[in-house]
Amino acid sequence: MLDEFPETLVNIEWHSPSYTPGGSDFDLPSLYSQRGNMYGVGGIPHSQWQGVENTVGGYPNANWSPMYNAFLPIYNSFVGNSTPYDITINGFYNTDENEVSYEVTVSMDEDMSSTQQKVDIFVVEDNIWSYWGAVGQYHNARNVARDWITNDGLGLDISLSGETQMFTGSFDVSSAWDSENVQIIAVVQNYSTPKQVYQVAQVNINDMDPDVDDDGIMNGDDNCMNTYNPYQSDVDGDGVGDACDECNDIVYVLGNINGDADISGDPIVDIYDILTLSDVIGSGETNPCMEGIMNINGDGSVNAVDVWFLIQIVINGTN
Amino acid sequence: MRKIFLLLMLSSIFAQRLDPVDLAMQELRTTVEIASRSSMKVFVEDFTGLN
């Protein structure tokens, strides 16, 4: 079923150090115990669903087929849940260096608190055909954990619809692995109890796109990763290319709340900004470009006092 | 006519039946198929081992 629905079912196999095929390199003792402790794993086999539900135990002789009856209601309980998160994984597999550079991008289409939300990135190897002495059979081990790159999670700072956050890094592909079957799995997980997983994505390292917008600039170096801009123009020098910089820092400066500019492209701070700021404070409706340019007196909060300060700036012409 | 009736009787008596595991598999497959259309994902971590 993993093969039939690779976009829907995502799994990681963590192999107990005490029970791995003889001579295999499946065991990652410290990572196994760290991840297992997150869920209170004791006896195996233990399946942790979406971080919050578990089934413990199996059927003799590694016959997993009857477990579908136990898995079905758990699976059904998660299908249909909505999530505000989307994850995309891109990057580049340098076969000469046996190194993978990755970019995991998390985006949101609904507001949600980011408290305790973390991003974890794993490396797994799929389809490892091994002989398992206990049952005297060969088995195809799926998505065997090879590394937990973000050991203990990376903080997710975004919480508003439309926001994105990128996590970049690299790892080496061991010569003991079959690089054709190495995959990156990224999850958004809440680290408070229960450890709910809100989104997951996976990609084979050979299927990643190193230049998403085809502008000749690799993703990691591109100041507009998703927008074709081969010249990388960035007039305000904020690291975000003009082609995708909605809030140009030359126009959106302190006090220029409505973001208007004169014929030379210089910002205009006038009575209309006072009115816009008053409207924003009254209605609470703002946009990302206004953030950081409304707090005129620099006290960290935007309120009527800022309007008064802005009036002084307009009257005195001291913007 | 009697032969046809007998044939029908035999067909229904010896018709293939799906065992409960097969039915569960079918149901799970349908659910996953629906989920795959709506981009929903389910994440399972298996802590396992054999030697």
Side-chain angles (χ1 to χ4, degrees), chain A residues 244-280:
Chain A
C244 59
D245 191 357
E246 292 179 17
C247 309
N248 188 309
D249 293 347
I250 292 174
V251 171
Y252 284 94
V253 296
L254 193 69
N256 190 23
I257 314 297
N258 61 5
D260 58 353
D262 62 20
I263 197 165
S264 306
D266 295 325
I268 303 170
V269 178
D270 56 13
I271 181 69
Y272 295 106
D273 295 299
I274 297 170
L275 296 172
T276 304
L277 181 58
S278 301
D279 288 344
V280 168

Side-chain angles (χ1 to χ4, degrees), chain A residues 31 89-104 120-126 144-151 167-175 177-186 202-208:
Chain A
L31 296 183
I89 306 171
N90 284 297
F92 176 62
Y93 172 31
N94 183 335
T95 52
D96 294 333
E97 304 284 337
N98 274 330
E99 184 185 66
V100 173
S101 309
Y102 62 84
E103 300 114 23
V104 173
D120 269 309
I121 300 169
F122 306 91
V123 179
V124 301
E125 183 181 352
D126 201 6
V144 175
R146 288 304 198 182
D147 199 359
W148 178 6
I149 297 175
T150 49
N151 191 338
F167 303 84
T168 61
S170 63
F171 62 89
D172 294 329
V173 176
S174 165
S175 58
W177 306 348
D178 180 354
S179 62
E180 291 294 313
N181 295 326
V182 175
Q183 308 199 56
I184 299 173
I185 291 177
Q202 70 175 344
V203 67
N204 186 297
I205 59 170
N206 301 285
D207 295 336
M208 297 189 299

Side-chain angles (χ1 to χ4, degrees), chain A:
Chain A
M1 291 192 67
L2 283 170
D3 291 331
E4 276 185 82
F5 304 102
E7 301 301 321
T8 308
L9 277 176
V10 181
N11 93 309
I12 298 178
E13 278 191 16
W14 296 95
H15 284 263
S16 167
S18 308
Y19 298 95
T20 57
S24 82
D25 58 352
F26 282 17
D27 53 329
L28 303 168
S30 61
L31 296 183
Y32 177 93
S33 62
Q34 186 181 349
R35 195 70 185 166
N37 286 341
M38 277 183 68
Y39 302 126
V41 172
I44 58 170
H46 175 126
S47 298
Q48 193 76 22
W49 294 76
Q50 218 77 341
V52 294
E53 291 278 350
N54 64 66
T55 47
V56 181
Y59 278 71
N61 300 320
N63 177 20
W64 279 86
S65 301
M67 289 301 288
Y68 279 111
N69 289 320
F71 290 164
L72 180 62
I74 301 174
Y75 184 89
N76 283 336
S77 70
F78 292 115
V79 172
N81 285 350
S82 65
T83 175
Y85 300 104
D86 188 38
I87 302 174
T88 56
I89 306 171
N90 284 297
F92 176 62
Y93 172 31
N94 183 335
T95 52
D96 294 333
E97 304 284 337
N98 274 330
E99 184 185 66
V100 173
S101 309
Y102 62 84
E103 300 114 23
V104 173
T105 306
V106 180
S107 56
M108 299 185 71
D109 60 11
E110 285 177 45
D111 294 355
M112 184 168 171
S113 166
S114 61
T115 305
Q116 289 293 314
Q117 297 289 77
K118 294 195 175 185
V119 171
D120 269 309
I121 300 169
F122 306 91
V123 179
V124 301
E125 183 181 352
D126 201 6
N127 295 321
I128 304 178
W129 192 245
S130 305
Y131 184 75
W132 303 74
V135 293
Q137 296 173 11
Y138 278 91
H139 273 281
N140 185 24
R142 304 298 309 269
N143 290 335
V144 175
R146 288 304 198 182
D147 199 359
W148 178 6
I149 297 175
T150 49
N151 191 338
D152 220 17
L154 301 171
L156 188 63
D157 301 325
I158 57 175
S159 57
L160 301 175
S161 175
E163 289 187 319
T164 63
Q165 188 173 351
M166 186 187 286
F167 303 84
T168 61
S170 63
F171 62 89
D172 294 329
V173 176
S174 165
S175 58
W177 306 348
D178 180 354
S179 62
E180 291 294 313
N181 295 326
V182 175
Q183 308 199 56
I184 299 173
I185 291 177
V187 304
V188 173
Q189 183 167 27
N190 195 293
Y191 265 52
S192 60
T193 302
K195 315 283 187 194
Q196 183 165 356
V197 171
Y198 281 84
Q199 185 57 286
V200 57
Q202 70 175 344
V203 67
N204 186 297
I205 59 170
N206 301 285
D207 295 336
M208 297 189 299
D209 190 343
D211 180 15
V212 174
D213 56 10
D214 288 328
D215 62 3
I217 313 295
M218 296 297 108
N219 296 333
D221 300 323
D222 197 334
N223 62 16
C224 286
M225 196 178 93
N226 296 302
T227 307
Y228 181 87
N229 65 330
Y231 300 111
Q232 301 285 289
S233 166
D234 177 18
V235 294
D236 61 357
D238 64 353
V240 181
D242 298 336
C244 59
D245 191 357
E246 292 179 17
C247 309
N248 188 309
D249 293 347
I250 292 174
V251 171
Y252 284 94
V253 296
L254 193 69
N256 190 23
I257 314 297
N258 61 5
D260 58 353
D262 62 20
I263 197 165
S264 306
D266 295 325
I268 303 170
V269 178
D270 56 13
I271 181 69
Y272 295 106
D273 295 299
I274 297 170
L275 296 172
T276 304
L277 181 58
S278 301
D279 288 344
V280 168
I281 292 170
S283 67
E285 291 179 11
T286 181
N287 66 55
C289 296
M290 293 178 176
E291 289 177 14
I293 63 171
M294 297 190 295
N295 183 211
I296 313 297
N297 66 350
D299 66 353
S301 62
V302 177
N303 50 38
V305 179
D306 295 297
V307 177
W308 188 84
F309 271 84
L310 187 54
I311 291 170
Q312 300 306 308
I313 287 173
V314 172
I315 290 172
N316 298 321
T318 55
N319 57 309

